[in-house]
Amino acid sequence: MSRSRQPPLVTGISPNEGIPWTKVTIRGENLGTGPTDLIGLTICGHNCLLTAEWMSASKIVCRVGQAKNDKGDIIVTTKSGGKGTSTVSFKLLKPEKIGILDQSAVWVDEMNYYDMRTDRNKGIPPLSLRPANPLGIEIEKSKFPQKDLEMLFHGMSADFTSENFSAAWYLIENHSTTSFEQLKTAVTTLKRQANKKSEGSLAYVKGGLSTFFEAQDALSAIHQKLEADGTEKVEGSMTQKLENVLNRASNTADTLFQEVLGRKDKADSTRNALNVLQRFKFLFNLPLNIERNIQKGDYDVVINDYEKAKSLFGKTEVQVFKKYYAEVETRIEALRELLLDKLLETPSTLHDQKRYIRYLSDLHAPGDPAWQCIGAQHKWILQLMHNCKEGYVKDLKGNPGLHSPMLDFDNDVRPSVLGHLSQTASLKRGSSFQSGRDDTWRYKTPYRVAFVEKLTKLVLSQLPNFWKLWISYVNGSLFSETAEKSGQVERSKNVRQRQNDFKKMIQEVMHSLVKLIRGALLPLSIREGEMRQYGGWEVKSELSGQWLAHVIQTIRLTYESLTALEIPNDMLQTIQDLILDLRVRCVMVTLQHTAEEIKRLAEKEDWIVDNEGLTSLPCQFEQCIVHSLQSLKVVLECKPGEASVFQQPKTQEEVCQLSINIMQVFIYCLEQLSTKPDADIDTTHLSVDVSSPDLFGSIHEDFSLTSEQRLLIVLSNCRHLERRTFLNITEHFEKHNFQGIEKITQVSMASLKELDQRLFENYIELKADPIVGSLEPGIYAGYFDWKDCLPPTGVRNYLKEALVNIIAVHAEVFTISKELVPRVLSKVVEAVSEELSRLMQCVSSFSKNGALQARLEICALRDTVAIYLTTESKSSFKQALEALPQLASGADKKLLEELLNKFKSSMHLQLTCFQATSSTMMKT
C-alpha cells in the first residue's frame, strides 16, 4: 500500500525525564490515523508499543520501559507515514529502592515481598532485611557524577542488596566525608547486628527459661490431680464441681445481660442493614437509573454504570445482590434489543450506525451487530434501486405522452461528486448537443435518462457510507477500546471470513445498477428471464445519440466517484463493460441518425450554383458528418481504464458498414436529384452566383433549370465530392480513430464514380445524339451527291449548324461549371467525329470536287475543336480523311487552305469559345 501521509514528527513529551514505567504524554504531528495505524513506538531505544494508547493524530500516551540508554529520541512508526523523527528527547533516571511501607508514584514489583508475620523470605537475600543505613552512621551523599562512578565500577552496584555489590562504590557515594573513627564505630555496629541475626530465636528461649519451667510444673500437677479423680463418677468429683461452677457462671451472665445483648444485636443488625444500603445504594438504585437514562438517551451513562456493576457484583454470591443484579441484566437486555432495532432502521446516518454499534459492542451484545447492520444496509440500497425503477416505470405508463416526470433538478441537493457530475455534464452538452438549446431541456429529459441520473445519484449517496462502514468494521474503529481488546482475535477471524461475503454484496449492488441501466437503455443485452426484474419500460423509440452521450458522461463520473472510494477495480468491471456497450450503441445510433439526416438533404437542395459550379449540398453533407463526429468525440475518447470502442472486430465491421451507408445514402440523394422530373422541382427560388464574370449574363432571376442543367450541377457536385469532400471526411474519420477507412473510401469512391459515369453518359447521350443525328440529313440535303457536285465555295450549313449546337453545349456547361467543359465537349466531339468517319467510309466514291468538299468540312471541324480532341476522336478524323482521295495538285491544296481561312474568319466570333482559357480547361 502506498503511503498517503507525511512521516510522524514528535515535537513534545511530558514529562521529559523520569524513571522506568513513568507515564508520559507524547505530542506531535501525523502520529497515525487510528490505533491500528500505530505499529512502532520507541523511547531511548526501548519498544513502548505494548503500553501505548493512541488518543489522536497529535497525542499518544504510554509508559517508559527499561532502557540501556539514559537519553534518547522518541520515534513513532505508522503504516500510513512510515518511520518518523523527533525534535525532543527523553532522559531516563535511575530508580531508587523503595521499601514496603514507602510511598511511590509508580507501580513497584512485589515479586520479592517479605512477610514479617510468617517469617517467610523467598527469593530475597537476607541483607535486604537490614535497615536503610546498615552502618548506623549519618549518610552524606557525595557529589561525584553518577556516570563517572558507573565507568569506574563497571558492572558493579552500590546497592548492598545486589549480587554485584561494591563496598567501595557504596562508601564513596554515601560516606565520602566520614572520618576513619566513625567508620570503625560503624564496623562494630555492623558486627553486633550480624551476631544478633545469627543468635535468632535461641537467645529468646534462653532469656525466658525459668518461666517455662514454672508453667511446666503447674501443668504437671493439674494433670496428676485429674488422673487421680478421673475414674470416679460421683457427684463430688473435682471436674464435676468445676463444670457446675462454670455453668452457673454462664447462666448468671446470660440472665444479667440477655436483654441488653438482644437490644445490642438488633441495633447491630439494623446498623449493618443501613450500612449495606448506604454502601451499595448504587446497585439498588441502578435498575431505576437505567430506565431513566434510556428514556433520556444517555446510553453512555447506562453503559458505564453497567460496567461498574458488572465488575463489582457480576460474580457475587449474596442473594440480595444477585436479585438486583438480575434486574439490571434484564434492563440491559432490553436496551440491547432497542439499540439493535435502531441500528437496523433505514434510512440511518453513518454517524448513528457507528454510535449504536459501539454501544452494542460495549454491552457485549450476542452475535455481530456491525455485520447485521452491513447486511441491512445492503438490502436497503438494493430496495431503493428497484423502487426507483418501479416509480419511473409506473410514472411512464401513467403519462405516456410526456417526455419526463416533473424533475426538480435545481432544488435537488446532490453530493459533491454529483455536483461535479452535473457541472461537467452541462459543459459537455454545449459541445455535443445541438446548438440553440435553452434551459427548457431540463423539462424535456426522457424518462430513462432521468431514471439513470436518479439511480446513479442514489447509489453515490448511499454506497460511500456503506463502504466506509465496512472499512470501519475491518480496522476496528467501530468498537470501543475495551471491546476492541476483548474481541480483537474473534473479530479478525470474522473479517477474514466475511471479506468474500462483503465482496459479493458490492458486486450485487454493481450488477443491479448495471442491469437496471441496461434494462432501460440496452434491453437486448439482458436475459429474457431478468427482463421482468430489470426491464418493463415498454418504450418503442430509442434515445438519440446526444442523450446517450449524456448518459455515458453521467455513468463515467459515477465510476470515477466509486473509484475515489478505493473500491477494487474488479468490483467495478461491470460498470466499465456497461460504459463500453453504451459507447458502442451511441456510435451506432448517431451514425444511423446521421444517415437519416443526410437522406433528407435532398429536400434542402436549393440549386444555387456558385462560381465553381457547386451547390451548398456537398458542404451540408460534410458539415452533417463533421457535426455527427464532433458529437461522438467525448464518447470515442478513452478515459483511464476504458477500452477502445473499436476493439471488437464485429463493432469495426458494423461502424464501417454504417459509414459506407452514410456515403451511399448521399450518393443516392444525388442520383434522385438528377433524375427527378421537372414538375417535382420548385425553381421559383433558384438563382446562380452571378459574381463570376464567366457567365455572360445568360442566366436571369426568372431562370428555371432543365433536366440537362440539373445533370450538370450534380456532375459538378460529384466532381467536388471526389476531389475534396470525401477526402476531408476521410481525414475526420481518421482523426476520430475509425477503423476500416480504406474500405470506406474505396467503396464510397467506387459508388460515386459509378454514379458520375452513369450521369455523364446520360448527359452526353442527351446532347450528342441530336448533333450526331443531324449530320447525315444535313450532308445529303438537296440531294447532294459526292460523285456529282460543284466545286466547293465554303463549308456547308450542316456543319455550321453542328458547330453551333456544340457551342450551345459549351455555353450550357460553362454556365454551370467551366471545369466540366473539356470532359463534356471531348465526348461530344468523339461522337461527332465517329459519326462523320462512318459517313465518309460509307461513300462508295468521290469526285474531285466531292473529295475536296469533304476534306474541307472534315478539316474545318477538326481544326475548330482541336483543343477537345482525344485519341479516339483523332483516330476517327484520320480514318475519315483516309477514306477520301488524296489531293492531286497544289491548286487544290491552296484552294482548300483559302476556304478554311475564310471559314475561320467568317465564324471567328462563334469559334472564340473553343480557344479561350484552353490551357486552364485542359488541365482538368
Side-chain angles (χ1 to χ4, degrees):
M1 176 178 176
S2 61
R3 297 176 184 170
S4 58
R5 296 175 61 89
Q6 296 294 325
L9 175 63
V10 177
T11 58
I13 184 170
S14 176
N16 58 3
E17 63 179 11
I19 63 175
W21 306 114
T22 300
K23 189 174 184 179
V24 296
T25 301
I26 301 171
R27 298 188 181 276
E29 302 173 358
N30 303 319
L31 300 184
T33 60
T36 57
D37 193 38
L38 181 65
I39 60 175
L41 174 60
T42 58
I43 300 178
C44 298
H46 179 75
N47 187 0
C48 303
L49 183 62
L50 187 62
T51 61
E53 295 182 46
W54 186 90
M55 311 299 290
S56 68
S58 60
K59 181 179 178 182
I60 298 175
V61 176
C62 71
R63 290 189 180 273
V64 181
Q66 296 283 357
K68 296 181 180 179
N69 303 326
D70 60 344
K71 190 174 184 181
D73 292 335
I74 302 94
I75 305 300
V76 177
T77 306
T78 63
K79 292 180 182 178
S80 59
K83 189 175 182 180
T85 56
S86 174
T87 60
V88 296
S89 60
F90 183 84
K91 183 177 180 181
L92 191 66
L93 303 178
K94 293 292 182 179
E96 297 181 359
K97 288 294 181 179
I98 300 173
I100 297 176
L101 300 179
D102 294 339
Q103 294 183 350
S104 174
V106 298
W107 184 262
V108 179
D109 188 4
E110 296 179 349
M111 290 180 61
N112 296 326
Y113 177 71
Y114 181 77
D115 191 346
M116 297 293 292
R117 294 172 299 170
T118 59
D119 194 27
R120 287 177 300 181
N121 180 19
K122 298 180 180 179
I124 186 169
L127 288 176
S128 64
L129 301 178
R130 294 181 178 180
N133 185 8
L135 297 181
I137 59 177
E138 184 180 359
I139 295 177
E140 296 179 359
K141 291 289 184 179
S142 67
K143 298 182 179 179
F144 286 95
Q146 189 74 14
K147 287 186 177 180
D148 295 346
L149 291 173
E150 291 177 357
M151 293 178 62
L152 183 62
F153 301 97
H154 181 70
M156 308 301 289
S157 173
D159 183 5
F160 57 83
T161 63
S162 174
E163 295 179 359
N164 301 324
F165 172 68
S166 173
W169 187 350
Y170 178 82
L171 292 174
I172 292 173
E173 187 175 52
N174 297 286
H175 301 284
S176 59
T177 59
T178 305
S179 65
F180 186 70
E181 294 299 328
Q182 289 177 318
L183 290 177
K184 284 184 177 181
T185 305
V187 170
T188 303
T189 303
L190 194 60
K191 288 180 179 180
R192 187 167 54 251
Q193 292 178 354
N195 290 333
K196 288 183 178 181
K197 179 64 180 177
S198 62
E199 291 175 359
S201 59
L202 182 61
Y204 174 75
V205 172
K206 287 181 180 180
L209 188 59
S210 59
T211 305
F212 284 108
F213 287 157
E214 291 176 359
Q216 178 66 24
D217 291 343
L219 290 174
S220 296
I222 293 173
H223 180 67
Q224 290 175 1
K225 186 65 176 176
L226 289 175
E227 283 183 347
D229 296 338
T231 57
E232 298 179 3
K233 304 297 180 182
V234 295
E235 183 67 23
S237 65
M238 186 181 70
T239 56
Q240 186 67 36
K241 292 179 181 179
L242 179 61
E243 180 181 2
N244 293 335
V245 171
L246 292 177
N247 287 333
R248 285 196 302 271
S250 176
N251 293 332
T252 303
D254 290 340
T255 303
L256 291 174
F257 297 101
Q258 185 173 9
E259 184 178 355
V260 175
L261 292 176
R263 289 197 302 268
K264 180 180 178 296
D265 291 341
K266 185 176 181 180
D268 289 343
S269 62
T270 303
R271 189 181 301 108
N272 290 336
L274 291 175
N275 289 336
V276 169
L277 289 175
Q278 182 64 28
R279 183 179 178 184
F280 300 104
K281 66 178 180 180
F282 164 74
L283 176 62
F284 300 139
N285 295 333
L286 187 56
L288 181 60
N289 290 336
I290 287 176
E291 290 184 356
R292 290 175 179 174
N293 289 324
I294 288 176
Q295 292 176 357
K296 294 179 183 178
D298 295 337
Y299 303 121
D300 291 312
V301 177
V302 175
I303 293 172
N304 292 335
D305 291 346
Y306 173 65
E307 289 293 338
K308 182 178 178 181
K310 184 177 182 181
S311 63
L312 294 175
F313 306 102
K315 297 180 180 179
T316 183
E317 296 297 331
V318 180
Q319 292 300 320
V320 65
F321 292 165
K322 280 187 176 182
K323 179 179 179 181
Y324 275 88
Y325 185 73
E327 288 292 325
V328 172
E329 285 289 356
T330 302
R331 285 160 175 77
I332 291 298
E333 183 61 31
L335 176 60
R336 291 191 186 107
E337 295 176 0
L338 174 65
L339 292 176
L340 185 60
D341 292 340
K342 287 182 175 291
L343 176 63
L344 300 181
E345 280 182 2
T346 51
S348 178
T349 63
L350 180 63
H351 173 74
D352 290 341
Q353 291 171 349
K354 288 184 176 181
R355 190 160 57 95
Y356 293 139
I357 290 172
R358 190 172 291 110
Y359 290 153
L360 289 169
S361 175
D362 291 340
L363 291 174
H364 308 287
D368 193 347
W371 181 251
Q372 289 178 306
C373 178
I374 291 174
Q377 194 70 13
H378 168 247
K379 293 179 180 177
W380 167 249
I381 294 174
L382 293 177
Q383 187 64 38
L384 284 179
M385 294 168 66
H386 285 283
N387 289 345
C388 178
K389 190 267 294 185
E390 294 297 335
Y392 274 89
V393 171
K394 183 178 179 181
D395 199 7
L396 177 62
K397 292 180 179 179
N399 302 279
L402 297 178
H403 289 282
S404 68
M406 297 303 293
L407 300 175
D408 188 5
F409 287 95
D410 296 330
N411 296 329
D412 195 6
V413 180
R414 300 187 177 196
S416 57
V417 176
L418 279 176
H420 171 67
L421 184 152
S422 177
Q423 295 173 5
T424 307
S426 63
L427 292 176
K428 298 301 179 185
R429 293 186 195 106
S431 60
S432 62
F433 289 178
Q434 293 181 358
S435 60
R437 186 193 306 272
D438 56 14
D439 291 339
T440 57
W441 74 273
R442 293 176 178 270
Y443 307 103
K444 297 178 182 177
T445 306
Y447 267 91
R448 290 173 290 170
V449 176
F451 161 70
V452 172
E453 290 185 344
K454 185 71 174 179
L455 184 65
T456 53
K457 170 192 170 184
L458 186 151
V459 171
L460 288 181
S461 64
Q462 297 294 329
L463 199 61
N465 289 340
F466 182 59
W467 180 258
K468 291 175 184 176
L469 184 64
W470 164 253
I471 296 300
S472 300
Y473 178 79
V474 171
N475 60 30
S477 61
L478 286 176
F479 311 98
S480 64
E481 181 181 353
T482 304
E484 183 176 359
K485 291 179 180 178
S486 62
Q488 187 173 6
V489 176
E490 182 179 357
R491 188 171 59 258
S492 62
K493 293 180 180 178
N494 291 340
V495 169
R496 289 193 296 270
Q497 293 172 357
R498 287 168 176 167
Q499 278 181 345
N500 291 333
D501 295 336
F502 182 78
K503 183 177 181 180
K504 291 178 181 178
M505 289 182 180
I506 292 291
Q507 288 176 340
E508 186 176 358
V509 172
M510 295 298 104
H511 281 297
S512 296
L513 172 65
V514 169
K515 288 183 179 179
L516 285 171
I517 296 177
R518 287 184 179 274
L521 304 178
L522 302 171
L524 297 179
S525 64
I526 60 176
R527 295 193 295 268
E528 186 175 353
E530 297 175 336
M531 186 63 70
R532 181 182 181 87
Q533 183 179 4
Y534 299 104
W537 289 89
E538 298 180 2
V539 287
K540 297 180 180 179
S541 60
E542 190 168 14
L543 290 178
S544 65
Q546 291 91 340
W547 283 117
L548 284 174
H550 172 68
V551 169
I552 291 169
Q553 188 67 9
T554 300
I555 300 176
R556 275 176 168 172
L557 292 174
T558 302
Y559 176 82
E560 292 175 5
S561 302
L562 295 177
T563 305
L565 295 175
E566 298 183 356
I567 298 177
N569 290 332
D570 59 336
M571 298 185 185
L572 304 177
Q573 185 58 41
T574 55
I575 298 182
Q576 284 285 24
D577 297 339
L578 171 64
I579 293 174
L580 179 60
D581 291 346
L582 285 174
R583 290 167 63 204
V584 171
R585 189 60 195 158
C586 182
V587 171
M588 301 298 183
V589 170
T590 301
L591 293 180
Q592 291 171 359
H593 180 69
T594 303
E596 294 174 0
E597 286 187 352
I598 290 174
K599 189 182 296 184
R600 293 191 294 269
L601 283 180
E603 303 171 2
K604 301 179 182 180
E605 176 61 281
D606 54 9
W607 300 103
I608 299 177
V609 182
D610 60 10
N611 58 353
E612 294 183 1
L614 304 175
T615 63
S616 61
L617 202 60
C619 183
Q620 292 180 18
F621 169 64
E622 183 177 352
Q623 288 178 353
C624 186
I625 292 182
V626 170
H627 177 76
S628 174
L629 295 178
Q630 187 65 27
S631 68
L632 292 174
K633 182 178 180 181
V634 178
V635 176
L636 294 174
E637 185 182 22
C638 291
K639 298 292 183 181
E642 292 183 357
S644 171
V645 173
F646 306 108
Q647 69 171 358
Q648 296 294 334
K650 181 180 178 181
T651 304
Q652 295 179 14
E653 182 63 28
E654 291 179 357
V655 171
C656 179
Q657 193 59 43
L658 285 173
S659 302
I660 293 173
N661 183 54
I662 290 174
M663 300 293 201
Q664 292 180 336
V665 164
F666 184 68
I667 293 172
Y668 178 74
C669 289
L670 294 177
E671 184 177 6
Q672 291 296 105
L673 288 171
S674 65
T675 59
K676 201 170 187 180
D678 295 344
D680 293 343
I681 297 182
D682 182 11
T683 59
T684 57
H685 65 287
L686 299 182
S687 63
V688 293
D689 186 358
V690 295
S691 62
S692 174
D694 299 326
L695 299 182
F696 303 113
S698 59
I699 299 179
H700 306 281
E701 294 181 359
D702 59 349
F703 176 74
S704 60
L705 294 176
T706 63
S707 59
E708 292 87 351
Q709 289 173 323
R710 290 202 307 276
L711 277 174
L712 286 173
I713 293 174
V714 174
L715 283 171
S716 179
N717 286 339
C718 288
R719 184 174 179 275
H720 183 76
L721 288 171
E722 181 181 353
R723 294 192 174 188
R724 295 185 184 178
T725 305
F726 276 15
L727 297 179
N728 293 341
I729 292 174
T730 300
E731 291 179 0
H732 287 295
F733 280 144
E734 291 177 349
K735 182 180 178 181
H736 290 82
N737 299 320
F738 271 56
Q739 303 297 316
I741 296 178
E742 293 183 1
K743 181 179 179 181
I744 297 173
T745 305
Q746 291 176 358
V747 175
S748 303
M749 285 292 188
S751 300
L752 180 64
K753 290 179 179 179
E754 180 185 357
L755 174 64
D756 177 80
Q757 186 62 30
R758 191 165 61 251
L759 296 181
F760 179 73
E761 290 176 356
N762 291 341
Y763 182 78
I764 294 301
E765 183 178 351
L766 290 173
K767 292 299 179 182
D769 285 357
I771 301 175
V772 171
S774 66
L775 288 179
E776 186 173 3
I779 290 175
Y780 296 105
Y783 302 102
F784 179 81
D785 188 1
W786 295 109
K787 300 178 182 179
D788 182 17
C789 61
L790 299 174
T793 57
V795 176
R796 289 186 292 170
N797 291 333
Y798 82 93
L799 188 59
K800 294 179 181 179
E801 182 182 352
L803 285 173
V804 169
N805 290 334
I806 294 175
I807 293 171
V809 174
H810 180 283
E812 183 178 68
V813 175
F814 192 86
T815 302
I816 302 300
S817 173
K818 58 185 178 181
E819 304 292 337
L820 288 175
V821 171
R823 183 184 179 192
V824 173
L825 289 189
S826 297
K827 283 295 181 182
V828 172
V829 170
E830 282 183 7
V832 173
S833 62
E834 182 181 356
E835 177 64 16
L836 194 58
S837 173
R838 184 188 68 82
L839 292 175
M840 293 300 105
Q841 291 177 1
C842 290
V843 178
S844 57
S845 63
F846 292 88
S847 64
K848 177 182 177 183
N849 292 334
L852 187 59
Q853 183 70 42
R855 189 175 293 275
L856 171 63
E857 293 172 352
I858 293 172
C859 291
L861 178 60
R862 183 193 63 185
D863 294 346
T864 301
V865 296
I867 62 174
Y868 301 117
L869 293 179
T870 62
T871 304
E872 289 78 5
S873 57
K874 288 180 180 179
S875 176
S876 298
F877 280 118
K878 182 178 179 182
Q879 292 175 2
L881 291 174
E882 289 176 352
L884 301 177
Q886 296 295 325
L887 296 179
S889 62
D892 293 339
K893 294 180 181 180
K894 183 177 181 181
L895 178 60
L896 177 63
E897 184 177 353
E898 289 177 355
L899 292 175
L900 282 173
N901 291 333
K902 178 181 177 182
F903 166 74
K904 294 176 182 179
S905 176
S906 63
M907 294 192 67
H908 173 73
L909 181 61
Q910 289 83 353
L911 301 181
T912 305
C913 65
F914 294 120
Q915 300 172 5
T917 63
S918 60
S919 60
T920 303
M921 291 185 290
M922 289 304 293
K923 288 179 182 178
T924 59

